[in-house]
Amino acid sequence: MTELASITKAELEELLSEWGEPRFRAGQILEWLNKGARPDEMLNIPKALREKLGALPYGGARLIEVLHSKKDDTAKMLVELEDGNIVECVLMRYSYGNTLCISTQAGCRMGCAFCASTLNGKARDLTAGEMLSEVLEAERNFARGEDKKRTVTNIVLMGSGEPLDNYVNTVGFLNRVTAQDGLRISPRNISLSTCGIVPKIYSLIDDAPHITLCISLHATNDEIRDRLMPINKAYRMDELLPAAKHYAEATGRRVIFEYALVDGLNSSKDCAKELAAKLRGFNCHINLIPLNSVKERELNGVSRAYARTFAEWLNAFGLSATVRRELGTDIEGACGQLRNKRSAKAQAHQDNGENE
Ligand code: SAH
């Protein structure tokens, strides 16, 4: 049974025709769903139909807590799924609009050595409707009064989880969020970040050719990457880089490589040189981030000043590279700091056990 939060217009029309309801209701209902409304709030829908819709599973997410950064205007949202899993998303404000970083899985099974999201493994995949709900809950919570403009103008799939390990739901989400009868967010304002699941990068060329593909590279060769990212055992860099290049060529879109600078591991001038040799002649950009510390992890980042020097080396070697602004570090909202809280109750239990 399709859940309301994930339903497409075609599915809704089919359901309405089964129920003997007029087809035009599909558009009305979808408009409500696109605002995050539940059936009992759908005022222009007859009560009997609202009740029928209300009896269907909804399958969305609900905002339960917002943490505001004291350092910048970033807000971290804790969103609860219907089974009690809690995922985090982050709203970042920029001069050009607001970017929402959403989670695609509760937890993650990719096991990257520097990341908090993977510490407890994966609890489960999020559905398309749950991802959509993250956006709608942000819209509802941060709406700007009378201003009818959308609050969330840009979306990055860079929260917890590996989007290409949850491929069908992720593509379903991308379709809904960009659709004319969906949220109408331009695919050009959406970035998807992957640790490098190569076959799915090829699939994205057909399924999502207008988004920005970001690849978490973090290394200049397999030896270094093996130490940081288990996925590199399955897909080596000599498969990953051609896939990225193919994506750039087939879609005409510039590919972004994310590169977290780890002190003493991937941040020397020789590393900059090796990286440049591998990426030169490629329509790409490198986003550098000093690795954020995660208390359970032993790896250390570099200073921002050092990161800028690394960017200058890359520039001198012919690559486009910048240091990414880091927001929300004080609310653990920065890259790699998001966690799967499992359920509120389980978490409270665990916190008590650990802290006393
Ligand atoms: N699974 C996807 C998206 C989630 S992670 C991926 O791997 O790309 C979003 C980004 O944050 C990735 O580039 C990831 O490598 C990076 N990241 C994870 N932990 C980090 C940390 N401690 N410091 C800086 N970046 C980190």
Side-chain angles (χ1 to χ4, degrees), residues 114-115 158-159 161-162 193-195 216 218 258 291-292 294 335-336:
F114 42 80
C115 184
M158 294 190 188
E162 167 50 48
S193 179
T194 177
C195 63
S216 300
H218 308 322
E258 293 151 289
L291 187 89
N292 287 311
V294 170
C335 301

Side-chain angles (χ1 to χ4, degrees), residues 57-246:
Y58 183 77
R62 282 227 192 246
L63 177 65
I64 53 168
E65 196 180 339
V66 182
L67 300 170
H68 291 276
S69 168
K70 292 191 179 68
K71 289 186 179 168
D72 50 58
D73 214 1
T74 299
K76 180 163 83 172
M77 299 164 50
L78 270 56
V79 166
E80 186 172 22
L81 311 178
E82 288 177 1
D83 65 356
N85 272 295
I86 296 172
V87 296
E88 302 181 339
C89 32
V90 181
L91 188 75
M92 295 162 285
R93 294 162 204 268
Y94 295 96
S95 52
Y96 53 79
N98 297 322
T99 296
L100 184 71
C101 175
I102 66 156
S103 291
T104 55
Q105 295 176 321
C108 184
R109 61 184 184 129
M110 293 297 128
C112 295
F114 42 80
C115 184
S117 301
T118 199
L119 286 166
N120 292 322
K122 181 179 93 169
R124 71 168 172 87
D125 289 336
L126 262 58
T127 63
E130 286 168 337
M131 292 181 223
L132 205 61
S133 258
E134 293 181 63
V135 181
L136 297 174
E137 290 293 281
E139 285 282 343
R140 271 155 83 102
N141 190 58
F142 297 102
R144 290 171 295 186
E146 291 307 299
D147 184 347
K148 286 274 159 53
K149 278 204 232 137
R150 214 167 257 309
T151 302
V152 176
T153 54
N154 297 64
I155 296 174
V156 296
L157 283 72
M158 294 190 188
S160 71
E162 167 50 48
L164 300 190
D165 184 42
N166 182 16
Y167 190 80
V168 172
N169 289 322
T170 295
V171 169
F173 164 74
L174 292 174
N175 288 338
R176 278 289 307 272
V177 86
T178 56
Q180 279 312 304
D181 54 27
L183 297 202
R184 273 189 251 134
I185 292 180
S186 164
R188 288 170 194 278
N189 293 351
I190 300 179
S191 299
L192 179 154
S193 179
T194 177
C195 63
I197 302 184
V198 167
K200 295 292 193 296
I201 293 177
Y202 287 101
S203 309
L204 271 186
I205 294 172
D206 295 323
D207 294 329
H210 304 297
I211 60 165
T212 297
L213 175 68
C214 304
I215 295 179
S216 300
L217 193 61
H218 308 322
T220 54
N221 56 47
D222 285 325
E223 197 194 325
I224 297 176
R225 205 162 190 266
D226 280 345
R227 290 172 59 182
L228 295 173
M229 304 178 72
I231 192 70
N232 199 61
K233 297 266 198 291
Y235 304 108
R236 313 300 281 168
M237 280 180 65
D238 63 1
E239 297 169 80
L240 177 59
L241 295 181
K245 195 167 189 171
H246 188 71

